[in-house]
Amino acid sequence: MPVLTDQVPAHTTRSGPLFSSDKTTVIFVLGGPGAGKGTQCANLVRDYGFKHLSAGDLLREEQDREGSQFGQMIKDYIKDGKIVPKEVTIQLLENRMVEAEKEGKHMILIDGFPRQLDQAISFEEKVCVSAFTLFFDCPEDEMQRRLLDRGKTSGRSDDNIESIKKRFRTFVETSMPVVNAFEKQGKVVKVEAIKTPEEVYQDVKVKLAERGLKVNA
Ligand code: C5P
Ligand code: MG
């Protein structure tokens, strides 16, 4: 099955969201690089039964897909810490949401997205309005320490000091405005992410309970 068609993505011509937010719960997971988004998402999948879609993982998969017309572009953007044009990322996410729906999964964690305001606007217009954004707040020096440590084994082209600096800049200049925009709508759940993964997760559970989400019994 193709991950991405070579045609114009379907969502660009659609008049409204494909999924109703009454039936599908989308939670965006944001935070700087190395804030612990992936780690905490794994906990949430285990305990709440979410479907986890990592935008970065989907882009890396598409980058490596044989015959992808976007492979080289994605590679260049990732190495440079820049945001891949939204049409590609949104289509990859939408494809996986369609699959998730077929599996009867209606609770979706979208990790590392939207990283730019235009992604947030298009996604909510054409795919699904988000319930809220879970935002992991972590100081840069701690994130840098984690990423350099991860870089020893991750094999990622962007876990080196040069790319890390660029990713931090992109986060502050391009992604924080998304968090601020959702904050104005009262749609941000902020968690301090400097502590240990276990301590951070305890906070996450408390904050999600305040939003009416309970661990699967
Ligand atoms: O989230 P993660 O750290 O895996 O993302 C790695 C890279 O993937 C980002 O630095 C960026 O280049 C790209 N990306 C993107 N748009 C997104 C998510 C990730 O361009 N929404
Ligand atoms: Mg990640």
Side-chain angles (χ1 to χ4, degrees), residues 147-148 158-168:
L147 291 172
L148 289 174
D158 58 351
D159 283 344
N160 58 77
I161 191 67
E162 203 188 326
S163 294
I164 289 168
K165 295 275 185 211
K166 291 180 183 169
R167 290 159 72 195
F168 284 162

Side-chain angles (χ1 to χ4, degrees), residues 56 59-60 77-78 82-84 112-113 115 119 156 167:
L59 287 167
R60 282 183 285 273
Y77 272 79
I78 288 183
K82 289 193 305 203
I83 306 301
V84 173
F113 178 96
R115 287 268 234 293
Q119 298 189 337
R156 277 179 54 160
R167 290 159 72 195

Side-chain angles (χ1 to χ4, degrees), residues 143-161:
M143 295 196 288
Q144 179 172 315
R145 193 190 61 70
R146 292 178 187 174
L147 291 172
L148 289 174
D149 196 44
R150 182 174 80 181
K152 291 177 195 156
T153 53
S154 70
R156 277 179 54 160
S157 64
D158 58 351
D159 283 344
N160 58 77
I161 191 67

Side-chain angles (χ1 to χ4, degrees), residues 86 90 114 116-126 182:
K86 67 180 190 313
I90 291 177
Q116 188 164 305
L117 263 178
D118 66 338
Q119 298 189 337
I121 292 165
S122 288
F123 186 91
E124 291 210 314
E125 266 177 19
K126 309 284 184 171
F182 282 131

Side-chain angles (χ1 to χ4, degrees), residues 4-195:
L4 199 65
T5 69
D6 287 352
Q7 292 136 17
V8 176
H11 69 264
T12 55
T13 53
R14 195 181 296 131
S15 62
L18 183 60
F19 298 92
S20 153
S21 56
D22 294 338
K23 200 170 158 210
T24 303
T25 301
V26 166
I27 298 176
F28 294 140
V29 181
L30 291 178
K37 301 183 292 293
T39 303
Q40 298 302 330
C41 282
N43 291 331
L44 292 168
V45 166
R46 184 194 60 219
D47 295 342
Y48 293 76
F50 281 104
K51 177 87 181 175
H52 174 220
L53 300 178
S54 156
D57 287 351
L58 293 179
L59 287 167
R60 282 183 285 273
E61 199 181 300
E62 177 65 18
Q63 168 199 293
D64 295 337
R65 183 172 67 87
E66 186 123 5
S68 169
Q69 61 164 329
F70 303 109
Q72 190 58 48
M73 176 196 68
I74 294 172
K75 197 175 260 175
D76 295 341
Y77 272 79
I78 288 183
K79 182 102 197 289
D80 233 12
K82 289 193 305 203
I83 306 301
V84 173
K86 67 180 190 313
E87 286 72 20
V88 173
T89 315
I90 291 177
Q91 191 64 47
L92 291 168
L93 289 168
E94 179 184 316
N95 291 349
R96 295 309 170 96
M97 283 184 63
V98 169
E99 283 175 22
E101 188 176 50
K102 286 185 190 143
E103 295 163 12
K105 297 218 164 178
H106 305 290
M107 303 268 287
I108 317 281
L109 283 178
I110 302 193
D111 162 4
F113 178 96
R115 287 268 234 293
Q116 188 164 305
L117 263 178
D118 66 338
Q119 298 189 337
I121 292 165
S122 288
F123 186 91
E124 291 210 314
E125 266 177 19
K126 309 284 184 171
V127 184
C128 193
V129 174
S130 64
F132 57 85
T133 293
L134 187 56
F135 170 51
F136 291 104
D137 195 17
C138 192
E140 256 179 36
D141 54 353
E142 171 64 13
M143 295 196 288
Q144 179 172 315
R145 193 190 61 70
R146 292 178 187 174
L147 291 172
L148 289 174
D149 196 44
R150 182 174 80 181
K152 291 177 195 156
T153 53
S154 70
R156 277 179 54 160
S157 64
D158 58 351
D159 283 344
N160 58 77
I161 191 67
E162 203 188 326
S163 294
I164 289 168
K165 295 275 185 211
K166 291 180 183 169
R167 290 159 72 195
F168 284 162
R169 235 186 118 153
T170 300
F171 175 68
V172 171
E173 291 176 359
T174 310
S175 306
M176 269 316 285
V178 177
V179 177
N180 295 334
F182 282 131
E183 179 85 67
K184 286 201 188 105
Q185 299 175 28
K187 292 215 299 187
V188 174
V189 173
K190 182 170 151 181
V191 175
E192 300 298 334
I194 194 172
K195 291 181 275 185

